[in-house]
Structures are given as C-alpha cells and as structure tokens.
Amino acid sequence: MAIANKDVRNDVQPFSEDNLNPHFINLLELLKCSILPEQKYNFDEPLQDSCFKEHILNVETNLLNAIPLLSKLRKSEVIPKKIVLYTILVAGENSTITMWTNRKIMMYADILLKEVLNRYGYSNLSSLLELEVGDYLSELRPKLLKNSWKNYPAAVDSFIWILFSLKCPHIGEHLHSVLPTCLLLTDDHVYDNKVKGLQCLQHVASNVSRTDLDQYGQGAVIYKAVEHMIYIREPKIIPHLAKCLIALLSKTEHSPTSQSLTWNHFDDVLNIWLPSMEMEQKLVLREAYMENLNEFLQAMGLGSARWSRKLILIFSDYCEQEHSCEMSLKTLLTFINSAWPRISNHFHSIVIILMKVIINMKTKGSISNNSTKPSRIIVQQCFKALEKLSNFMYCDFVNKMKKNRDMFHLYKLVMEEDINYYVT
C-alpha cells in the first residue's frame, strides 16, 4: 500500500503486511496485551476502579517496554500494518482519563503514536487514519455490536477518538461503518452514553454533505434515532441534543437563508420544546432550554416566524427572571432578526418586554451596575433592530415615551447617546 505523502518515497510501502520478524513480534505482542480485555457487564454490579488495577500495571510495563523497541527501528525498516493498527487502538483506548488508564499510560501511548506519525512525516492523526480507517473500524466492529459493546468500554472510547479524528470528506465515505455504534450509544438508557452518542452524531452531521445524509435515507435514520430524546427533560441531554439537531437539520431541512415556510423537523422540535418551556418551573431546565434555543432559532431562520406568538409569551416570562434574563434577551434579538417579516405585528409586545427589563433593573437598583451591562447592551441592540425593521412604529413609540418623564429617563439611561437622534 503506497502512501501519497511528500515525506515518503514513492518506492517505499510504510505499512508492511507480513514483515513480522522476531523484533516486530515482540512489539506487536506488547501492544496486543495492552488492549483492555472483555469486561462482563452487570447492571447490578457496575465496574469499579479496583477492577482495573492489574490491567493498569501491565499496560504501564508493556508500553514502557514498547517505546524503545519502536524507537530503535532503523528509518529504512517498514512498520507492519498490524503494529500501526494496534498503536492507534492503544492510543484510542487511553486517550482520556478513565478507570482503566492513567496519565502515565496516556503519555506512553502518545509517545508511541507520535513515533509512528513522525516516521512518515504526518503532522496529525487524521492524515494517517485516512489511509486505512476501514481497517481500524473493522478491527473494532466485533466489540461494538448490540450484544457486546457494553463489555468493551475501552473499545467505545477508541471508536469515539478515531471518529473525532476524522473530518470531511472521509466520514461520508465510511458513514455506513460509523453510524451503527453512534446509534447504539444514543439508544442506551444511561445518560452518559446518550451524550456520547449525541456528540458522535453531531460530529458526523457536521462533517458529511447533504448528499451523504440523503443517500439511503441516513439523515432520516439519525433524526429518528434522536427524536425520542426531544421529550427528555434532562439538563445533561438538552444542550447536546440541540447541537446534534442543529448540525443535522441545517443540512437536511431548508437552509437558514431559505424563504420557505414549509413545516419541517425544526417545527417538530419546537412543537415539543416550546410548550415544555412554557410550563417548566425548574430553574436548571429553564436555563438549559433557553441557552440552546438561541442557536436553534439561528439555524431555523425565517421559519421561526411561525412560532412568533408562542415565543413572545416565553420571552415575556423568561426575561422577568434574573437568572435567565440575559440569555433570553440574546434569543429575543435572534428572533427579531430571523423572523423580521412578522416583527411589526409583534412590535408592541416586544417593546413591553424590553421596557419591563429596564424597569426591573431600576427596581433592583442595578440599572447602572456592571453586572447588568451585557443585558443593557442587548436591550439597545433589540431597540436598534426594531428601529430598522419598523422605523415608523419605533419613532411613534419614542415620541409617546417622552410624555412619561420617568419612563423616558430610564429609556435614555439604557440607550445612552443613541437617543439623541430623537431628542428635539
């Protein structure tokens, strides 16, 4: 297998199939013995740190012995493909702190991986993976089946590490190989595994084309797999689900610049989320919803105009709460810019929300505090957006505001010198 790389001679095959002399056999054995063996999963008896003490000691010794074996190879010697493969798998299993690894093992694995990369002039793992990613995924596949993946937690970590090292367009070429494991993770009852699955699906959706997702209905498969999670009221899930949906729907549905108002999956999500937001009383969930609604509306674009009335009610409620005010104002500004054709219909409702925010700042004595400065700036931006979209209505609002001295004073405090345009 020849490598197209300027640092590798055309007549050199870096990864040999059969070149396993005794020196290589010892190195390969050390790497194989460093792979975490099967762990019998038991729901009632979850794995503990104590289960991996012996494994950690063995891996430390194995990798410490493997480093000089690899580094002493002559530059002219060809590394067997199996050694490259197991070097990558070991590095993947020990890419983050877990019960079966430690920082010393991570350092040793990284040294081995860098030695392989440096030998062939690669600056990062992605370039190396692009050559034989199918082989790495095939090696992991038996450990990542429906009935086996829970017994191989390190293989899951290795898969995720390899997946996140791949970028467009190489994920699209192997979509059929990576999706099954991602979907298994999202379908698990353990929230931590669901989060891992959502992160994987977000990465996949962000690094494939719309054509890749449309082929064989892969985009529809991903949406169907995460659809049930839209109903989950869990702060740990909501942000990752939102990011996953945004990455996916931005490609499978209309683009943010589209003028189409046809109902799509963006609307299906809001049809569930907005009633939940309206009724939600737990602060942590209110924050989770609002923090992710902003990016969701940005991705949805003009289609958010369909939800104007429901959104205005939510903004009115959430902007009155100190803990969610700033983020709610940011999302309100996004809504104003996204749903611009409908803003004149809701001009007065939006102005009331903004003035209530100003009054609340005054009541709490924070209208001039640095702590509320971000909110005041966003209020200014909202007023300027309203002025641009509904200039006549905005001028009329300011003129009426002048009749109430106290209110106009508060308004000027927030708007600062920007109000001079309207002062006669």
Side-chain angles (χ1 to χ4, degrees):
M1 178 194 69
I3 290 187
N5 186 285
K6 63 181 181 181
D7 296 304
V8 183
R9 300 195 316 272
N10 291 332
D11 61 332
V12 173
Q13 287 190 332
F15 308 144
S16 166
E17 298 284 354
D18 306 310
N19 191 12
L20 288 178
N21 59 40
H23 180 83
F24 286 133
I25 291 175
N26 292 336
L27 177 56
L28 181 60
E29 190 63 27
L30 289 172
L31 292 171
K32 282 186 174 182
C33 291
S34 299
I35 296 293
L36 183 70
E38 181 178 13
Q39 308 294 309
K40 292 300 182 181
Y41 175 76
N42 188 331
F43 180 79
D44 296 321
E45 297 180 13
L47 296 171
Q48 304 292 332
D49 290 346
S50 56
C51 302
F52 302 98
K53 285 185 177 180
E54 184 177 351
H55 173 76
I56 288 175
L57 291 174
N58 289 337
V59 175
E60 283 185 5
T61 303
N62 291 341
L63 299 189
L64 187 59
N65 291 330
I67 290 173
L69 289 178
L70 185 58
S71 61
K72 287 179 181 178
L73 291 178
R74 296 190 304 273
K75 294 297 182 182
S76 59
E77 288 189 271
V78 180
I79 300 180
K81 183 188 293 186
K82 277 286 185 181
I83 289 180
V84 177
L85 186 150
Y86 276 97
T87 299
I88 289 176
L89 295 183
V90 168
E93 288 196 354
N94 300 285
S95 56
T96 185
I97 289 293
T98 57
M99 290 185 288
W100 53 85
T101 190
N102 57 32
R103 297 201 178 277
K104 188 180 292 185
I105 292 176
M106 291 175 64
M107 180 182 68
Y108 293 158
D110 190 54
I111 291 173
L112 288 167
L113 180 62
K114 286 180 178 177
E115 180 66 28
V116 172
L117 294 175
N118 291 338
R119 178 173 287 264
Y120 298 106
Y122 292 112
S123 59
N124 55 62
L125 177 64
S126 299
S127 302
L128 179 59
L129 286 175
E130 290 165 8
L131 298 171
E132 299 288 348
V133 64
D135 288 351
Y136 308 134
L137 295 175
S138 296
E139 185 73 22
L140 288 172
R141 187 61 189 147
K143 299 179 179 181
L144 300 176
L145 300 176
K146 184 176 181 180
N147 297 323
S148 63
W149 73 274
K150 289 238 174 176
N151 295 334
Y152 294 96
V156 174
D157 279 6
S158 190
F159 167 83
I160 294 173
W161 181 72
I162 289 174
L163 176 64
F164 275 80
S165 297
L166 291 173
K167 306 294 180 184
C168 181
H170 303 286
I171 290 183
E173 298 170 3
H174 299 278
L175 197 55
H176 64 285
S177 298
V178 300
L179 268 188
T181 302
C182 299
L183 299 179
L184 278 176
L185 290 169
T186 58
D187 195 44
D188 193 45
H189 66 280
V190 178
Y191 281 163
D192 285 344
N193 289 330
K194 285 185 179 294
V195 168
K196 289 179 181 179
L198 288 170
Q199 290 172 330
C200 289
L201 290 177
Q202 179 196 346
H203 181 75
V204 168
S206 299
N207 285 277
V208 296
S209 65
R210 179 169 184 161
T211 302
D212 291 327
L213 291 172
D214 287 344
Q215 191 174 27
Y216 307 116
Q218 302 282 35
V221 169
I222 295 175
Y223 180 79
K224 196 67 177 177
V226 301
E227 186 179 20
H228 71 281
M229 282 188 269
I230 302 172
Y231 296 90
I232 297 178
R233 296 168 57 253
E234 170 57 48
K236 184 184 293 186
I237 296 293
I238 292 171
H240 297 288
L241 175 60
K243 288 179 173 62
C244 177
L245 287 170
I246 289 168
L248 175 66
L249 300 184
S250 294
K251 292 183 178 177
T252 60
E253 310 301 313
H254 65 80
S255 69
T257 57
S258 171
Q259 301 300 308
S260 172
L261 289 177
T262 304
W263 185 286
N264 55 50
H265 283 318
F266 278 111
D267 298 287
D268 291 328
V269 175
L270 288 189
N271 196 35
I272 298 168
W273 270 354
L274 295 186
S276 297
M277 291 182 69
E278 200 171 10
M279 301 297 293
E280 188 55 63
Q281 296 301 314
K282 292 182 179 179
L283 297 183
V284 65
L285 281 169
R286 287 168 70 95
E287 290 177 1
Y289 278 125
M290 188 55 73
E291 284 176 0
N292 294 281
L293 181 62
N294 185 35
E295 290 185 19
F296 196 85
L297 294 183
Q298 286 181 23
M300 188 175 187
L302 187 59
S304 59
R306 189 197 324 278
W307 300 92
S308 297
R309 291 188 179 183
K310 182 73 73 174
L311 286 167
I312 291 294
L313 289 174
I314 290 172
F315 291 138
S316 179
D317 177 20
Y318 279 56
C319 282
E320 290 188 8
Q321 306 297 319
E322 186 175 359
H323 67 278
S324 59
C325 181
E326 182 180 336
M327 180 52 66
S328 301
L329 287 170
K330 286 182 181 178
T331 311
L332 173 58
L333 179 59
T334 296
F335 166 72
I336 293 172
N337 291 324
S338 299
W340 56 270
R342 298 292 300 274
I343 294 305
S344 59
N345 294 348
H346 302 281
F347 178 87
H348 295 293
S349 298
I350 295 174
V351 164
I352 289 173
I353 293 172
L354 297 175
M355 291 308 299
K356 280 184 177 180
V357 170
I358 296 174
I359 293 170
N360 286 341
M361 290 181 187
K362 175 62 177 177
T363 303
K364 296 173 183 177
S366 60
I367 196 165
S368 300
N369 293 351
N370 286 334
S371 61
T372 60
K373 187 174 182 178
S375 294
R376 296 199 306 272
I377 291 174
I378 302 171
V379 169
Q380 286 183 26
Q381 293 172 332
C382 287
F383 275 128
K384 289 177 182 178
L386 292 174
E387 175 192 359
K388 181 179 179 180
L389 294 172
S390 306
N391 184 264
F392 177 79
M393 298 177 74
Y394 190 78
C395 292
D396 184 58
F397 156 70
V398 173
N399 289 330
K400 289 180 179 179
M401 182 74 67
K402 294 176 184 177
K403 297 177 182 179
N404 187 319
R405 184 176 178 181
D406 292 336
M407 292 292 289
F408 191 58
H409 175 68
L410 292 178
Y411 174 79
K412 287 199 298 182
L413 283 176
V414 172
M415 296 301 290
E416 299 176 340
E417 71 277 1
D418 295 324
I419 196 61
N420 292 337
Y421 178 83
Y422 294 100
V423 176
T424 58

